[in-house]
Amino acid sequence: MAIVVQKYGGTSVGDTDRMKRVADRVARTHRDGNQTVVVVSAMGKTTDDLVAMAQRISDAPPQRELDILLTSGERISMSLLAMALAEHGVPAKSFTGSQAGIITDAVHGKARILEITPGRVQEALDEGNVVIVAGFQGVSQDTKDITSLGRGGSDTTAVALAAALGADVCEIYTDVDGVFTADPRIVATARKLSYVSYEEALEMTAHGAGVLQTRSVEFGRNHGVRIHVRSSFSYTPGTWVGPREESTVEDAIISGVAHDTSEAKVTVMKVSDQPGIAAKLFSTLADAKINIDMIVQNVSADGRTDISFTLPRGDTNQARAILEPYAEAIGAEGVLVDENVAKVSLVGAGMKTHPGVAARMFSALSAAGVNIEMISTSTIRVSVVIAKDQVEPAVLAVHEAFGLSEDLVVAEEGA
Ligand code: ASP
Ligand code: MG
């Protein structure tokens, strides 16, 4: 018997009618003879509403309590779906993350899964049940408190469970047809990709493509879980995420353009240019679990230099509180925060072997009148930080420059 893990996002379970439609699909998968595990997100905007409610009570709610509050959204979904399946005559049992054996570290708000002990899940499957698991949550090994896995964390619950159960596939059901060459809300001609490698999916999701949580792709890659991202509103095949070797689209140099408007840029001005300063600065931020993305250090003048980096906008206040006293202590000039930035990234495994990709991207941006503030690259990605109000023309220009709307992407060597 095949084991199938299906994850349904917030829109797919947005109201009770949609929940019933999800139950139809799950019932069908079960009746086709699969051992079926379903991971659910909170209904619609429930998580946002819960965050807003907490903020009306406190500017800085205790993290432990916030996690208990936020994870309740997924519990509403799991129990309602179990009821909807019972209506179909399908035996179903729902479990919280903790009951499903999702063991995490103790970092509230962005806990990492350390291990999964799916004994109860496996037992319930073996008894013939559909198993429903609340996404986005686990229990800390040390404190035994309920933890949340960060926004979008249900994807990671699903892929991690698929890995632990040795599932044949992890289907991620969402409100779009798959992974696109760019956000279709910006680029109307964006094309659905039939296949992307784990590496490309990692770069795309880490740089703004919201279709999957980045950690879920990491889990998939590390454990070889095949992920199928598809729409819960149709039966059209979506996008497969898997090992590079399996891709049949050999010719694609570029997979897509991602953009991210959720970051801010911080500059520590006129830091003295000597060993240890950057190490101290970034370790302090790391200790506070603040994820830094791009880093640029300028050429120094008179023994002083500016260090700029980007980070999630939600972490800027915390970063400022850490950096301001530090900047003062080391005699730096001060800390500047710019929240009006966006990042545009071009991703494609083929760029490794094709020169001129960055040049073509920068030319397209300049022709669109977009100024580049920061640049960073990996072997399969080029990212730029630009002003936030230029994100749409920038994405359109880059998508166009690489002919991503067309069927086949052919490299122009040395362009
Ligand atoms: N409900 C959580 C969120 O909105 C987790 C998820 O949907 O994946 O982030
Ligand atoms: Mg999501």
Side-chain angles (χ1 to χ4, degrees):
M1 241 195 224
I3 301 182
V4 172
V5 175
Q6 301 185 327
K7 177 257 172 177
Y8 291 91
T11 320
S12 303
V13 294
D15 56 38
T16 45
D17 282 333
R18 288 187 175 175
M19 192 72 87
K20 287 185 198 167
R21 260 185 274 153
V22 166
D24 290 341
R25 196 185 283 259
V26 172
R28 191 188 290 218
T29 310
H30 171 76
R31 292 199 171 113
D32 284 346
N34 299 295
Q35 287 203 316
T36 310
V37 177
V38 181
V39 173
V40 282
S41 287
M43 295 171 76
K45 297 260 166 274
T46 302
T47 311
D48 290 335
D49 295 344
L50 293 171
V51 170
M53 235 190 273
Q55 279 167 350
R56 285 200 292 277
I57 293 203
S58 161
D59 285 339
Q63 296 284 321
R64 177 187 185 278
E65 305 310 323
L66 191 59
D67 272 358
I68 293 176
L69 178 70
L70 298 191
T71 54
S72 68
E74 271 67 11
R75 298 189 187 197
I76 296 174
S77 298
M78 74 180 200
S79 48
L80 289 175
L81 183 58
M83 293 173 197
L85 282 164
E87 284 295 304
H88 276 274
V90 172
K93 271 189 182 171
S94 68
F95 295 97
T96 65
S98 161
Q99 289 174 316
I102 311 225
I103 315 292
T104 72
D105 62 20
V107 184
H108 287 293
K110 41 184 160 184
R112 278 187 172 273
I113 297 176
L114 300 177
E115 89 174 288
I116 296 194
T117 48
R120 289 190 74 183
V121 171
Q122 191 63 63
E123 208 174 287
L125 282 176
D126 293 342
E127 285 163 12
N129 294 290
V130 166
V131 171
I132 305 166
V133 177
F136 168 65
Q137 57 191 276
V139 59
S140 156
Q141 194 166 49
D142 300 336
T143 62
K144 311 290 178 222
D145 283 329
I146 300 298
T147 52
S148 76
L149 308 181
R151 299 306 303 268
S154 298
D155 296 336
T156 301
T157 305
V159 179
L161 264 174
L165 296 166
D168 296 81
V169 59
C170 182
E171 297 183 325
I172 304 283
Y173 284 96
T174 177
D175 53 357
V176 292
D177 285 336
V179 181
F180 281 75
T181 51
D183 185 339
R185 282 168 300 190
I186 295 185
V187 184
T189 56
R191 187 168 44 89
K192 183 181 77 189
L193 296 159
S194 55
Y195 192 95
V196 281
S197 65
Y198 292 126
E199 286 69 25
E200 290 165 311
L202 271 176
E203 293 281 13
M204 291 168 102
T205 57
H207 296 277
V211 67
L212 282 173
Q213 198 194 34
T214 308
R215 273 187 202 166
S216 72
V217 185
E218 264 168 9
F219 243 102
R221 182 193 55 187
N222 295 345
H223 300 272
V225 178
R226 275 163 189 70
I227 303 171
H228 187 185
V229 183
R230 55 191 305 189
S231 169
S232 67
F233 299 101
S234 77
Y235 281 86
T236 334
T239 304
W240 284 87
V241 183
R244 181 80 207 150
E245 312 81 74
E246 286 181 11
S247 173
T248 48
V249 199
E250 306 286 340
D251 305 281
I253 306 304
I254 300 300
S255 306
V257 184
H259 72 279
D260 188 352
T261 52
S262 70
E263 295 195 332
K265 183 173 90 173
V266 173
T267 304
V268 187
M269 292 177 301
K270 302 246 182 313
V271 180
S272 72
D273 193 6
Q274 64 191 51
I277 298 277
K280 177 79 198 309
L281 199 156
F282 290 106
S283 355
T284 323
L285 294 169
D287 290 345
K289 304 281 179 213
I290 296 176
N291 270 326
I292 303 303
D293 179 22
M294 275 191 206
I295 302 175
V296 169
Q297 178 176 324
N298 289 334
V299 175
S300 67
D302 310 323
R304 286 166 158 253
T305 180
D306 291 346
I307 297 179
S308 298
F309 56 88
T310 58
L311 79 177
R313 203 175 317 124
D315 289 340
T316 44
N317 285 343
Q318 204 190 347
R320 204 200 289 263
I322 292 170
L323 290 175
E324 274 172 354
Y326 179 65
E328 206 181 313
I330 60 170
E333 202 176 276
V335 178
L336 265 185
V337 175
D338 183 357
E339 304 211 325
N340 191 28
V341 293
K343 188 174 55 175
V344 174
S345 303
L346 183 67
V347 174
M351 71 171 71
K352 249 188 265 194
T353 46
H354 286 83
V357 168
R360 203 196 309 182
M361 178 183 183
F362 301 158
S363 304
L365 290 169
S366 102
V370 176
N371 183 45
I372 300 171
E373 297 178 21
M374 289 168 98
I375 298 172
S376 88
T377 62
S378 79
T379 46
I380 63 165
R381 174 185 51 82
V382 182
S383 300
V384 295
V385 170
I386 59 171
K388 197 172 175 179
D389 58 4
Q390 290 193 306
V391 70
E392 294 198 5
V395 170
L396 279 164
V398 175
H399 194 267
E400 170 76 31
F402 287 89
L404 293 175
S405 307
E406 290 142 36
D407 267 1
L408 197 63
V409 184
V410 185
E412 243 173 70
E413 308 243 355

